Amino acid sequence: MKGKIAFEEHCAIAETLESTRAFAGDSGIWEDFTRQILDLGSERLEGMDRTGIEFAILSLNAPGVQGILNADEALAAARKGNDWMAEAVAKHPNRYAAFATLPMHDPDIASAELTRCVKELGFKGAMVNGFQQKDDPENTIYYDIPEYRSFWATVSELDVPFYLHPRMQIQSQARIYDGHPWLMSAPWGFAVETSIHSLRLCGSGLFDEFPNLKICIGHLGENIPFGLWRIDARMRWSRRAYRGQRPLGDYFRDHFHITTSGNFNDPAFKCTLDVLGKDKVYFCADYPFEHMKDATDWYDATTTITEQEKLQIGRTNAINLFNLDLK
Ligand code: GRE
Ligand code: ZN
């Protein structure tokens, strides 16, 4: 299919690149990967041409500024990354848009940078890589806490989607992975981290306060669609400190938008479509952590959806969600 739109497509600046190195491990991909993630020019655009991806919304790599402990340093890196993505968008406005990178140490500073990115740079929303580490590596901030309601008020007012991207858990909470470091990141741990953060948002009353919030998550829903029915079923027994007015599944189905990033697999795709419906599901690749071709070979060939649905999930849904100026 031509004309696909993808929006979990990463780039990096020098200040954030190293934070990703640990994930490459001993796989020998670091050199190619570095070239690809630093490039917003011909290699990426030609890859998009070859695979039928017309348009990409760019975002910085993970953990990026969420792993920078010092708030000033993180703000400087975020502004640099955002300005750099804005330049690429200005150069290729019919191929790229961008998501704001936000230092989340302080809700007001995060709100100000998001506002600058959306109002001055024309960005389409934010991509945040999970919890923010602040000052001490053990100090982690999840955004369901009451102190962050002012940030969500800004997101609500700007009316842009917020993409919650995975990152790895901190060392002190990783004992369950002892002896199995392969399990900690994208193969499984990423989904644990992002699903819990997503469910925290659902259970915090956030969506009662701001009914127009739109949260994007990748990887076909970080395993939540498969478990959603059971969450509500079991919560009939225990709802301790659950602060939502409605069952959790209602918030997830109403507020979450789910992408195919890094999960090119029909059984999971079917489950996500069954749970969320075709208006809430979107094509994404997750380049350069994934090959564009792996994403598009699967998507173009899947028989799980009709050709008309392919156009909707691969393109029109994204045009509508982000108000893109594409036909
Ligand atoms: C991803 O986006 O899939 C990703 C990262 C960082 C490390 C590994 C990974 O952003 O798969
Ligand atoms: Zn990603």
Side-chain angles (χ1 to χ4, degrees):
M1 175 196 149
K2 286 204 166 73
K4 288 185 286 293
I5 296 169
F7 56 93
E8 195 189 311
E9 317 310 321
H10 304 297
C11 54
I13 55 173
E15 286 82 347
T16 62
L17 179 63
E18 276 302 311
S19 68
T20 289
R21 187 193 282 269
F23 299 104
D26 52 7
S27 58
I29 59 159
W30 186 247
E31 199 177 314
D32 277 349
F33 175 82
T34 300
R35 190 189 66 248
Q36 289 169 344
I37 199 162
L38 293 173
D39 160 62
L40 292 178
S42 58
E43 181 171 355
R44 186 179 296 249
L45 288 167
E46 283 162 20
M48 289 165 63
D49 290 341
R50 277 196 301 277
T51 53
I53 301 173
E54 178 184 327
F55 195 82
I57 305 181
L58 303 167
S59 51
L60 283 204
N61 61 308
V65 302
Q66 269 61 69
I68 300 180
L69 305 182
N70 179 276
D72 295 336
E73 218 179 292
L75 177 61
R79 292 185 71 110
K80 184 175 166 188
N82 289 331
D83 290 343
W84 177 61
M85 288 189 284
E87 267 174 46
V89 171
K91 229 185 265 176
H92 305 284
N94 54 350
R95 306 306 302 278
Y96 294 143
F99 282 130
T101 287
L102 300 178
M104 295 294 288
H105 308 65
D106 176 297
D108 295 337
I109 294 172
S111 294
E113 182 59 5
L114 177 61
T115 303
R116 180 182 86 90
C117 287
V118 172
K119 294 222 160 137
E120 294 173 28
L121 305 179
F123 283 19
K124 300 301 175 191
M127 182 176 291
V128 171
N129 300 307
F131 60 84
Q132 178 69 53
Q133 282 170 292
K134 179 179 175 179
D135 300 328
D136 178 333
E138 296 293 308
N139 181 24
T140 56
I141 301 171
Y142 287 82
Y143 314 124
D144 55 282
I145 59 174
E147 292 83 343
Y148 278 70
R149 290 300 154 96
S150 63
F151 168 75
W152 291 111
T154 303
V155 178
S156 167
E157 208 176 289
L158 293 169
D159 200 21
V160 289
F162 177 97
Y163 203 127
L164 185 65
H165 187 277
R167 62 167 302 181
M168 209 144 76
Q169 64 291 320
I170 56 171
Q171 205 54 43
S172 64
Q173 286 171 19
R175 282 196 54 203
I176 196 171
Y177 299 98
D178 275 358
H180 299 272
W182 58 272
L183 190 52
M184 287 175 69
S185 62
W188 193 256
F190 272 18
V192 173
E193 178 60 43
T194 310
S195 58
I196 292 178
H197 201 161
S198 300
L199 298 173
R200 286 176 64 132
L201 296 178
C202 290
S204 72
L206 176 67
F207 301 116
D208 298 312
E209 202 170 331
F210 302 109
N212 70 330
L213 289 181
K214 301 176 203 72
I215 311 292
C216 301
I217 57 175
H219 314 110
L220 287 175
E222 312 290 8
N223 300 342
I224 296 175
F226 191 84
L228 195 61
W229 182 88
R230 180 165 163 78
I231 293 172
D232 278 334
R234 286 293 84 202
M235 277 175 64
R236 287 191 207 115
W237 273 31
S238 171
R239 297 164 58 94
R240 279 176 300 165
Y242 179 73
R243 286 179 288 279
Q245 288 169 10
R246 296 190 288 149
L248 185 142
D250 283 12
Y251 297 117
F252 190 74
R253 280 183 295 267
D254 286 355
H255 293 273
F256 280 68
H257 299 256
I258 295 200
T259 81
T260 67
S261 66
N263 203 348
F264 316 131
N265 166 260
D266 282 305
F269 189 41
K270 281 179 194 153
C271 174
T272 299
L273 284 165
D274 274 356
V275 174
L276 270 294
K278 60 182 192 246
D279 296 345
K280 293 290 200 68
V281 180
Y282 304 77
F283 171 79
C284 284
D286 208 356
Y287 179 80
F289 296 93
E290 303 287 345
H291 299 295
M292 291 181 206
K293 189 171 181 318
D294 290 341
T296 59
D297 279 356
W298 164 73
Y299 189 75
D300 292 346
T302 182
T303 54
T304 292
I305 49 178
T306 65
E307 288 306 303
Q308 193 186 343
E309 290 167 336
K310 219 168 258 189
L311 182 65
Q312 183 187 340
I313 290 166
R315 181 177 175 87
T316 341
N317 280 352
I319 292 178
N320 295 335
L321 181 62
F322 299 107
N323 279 318
L324 299 178
D325 194 14
L326 299 169
K327 300 262 157 38

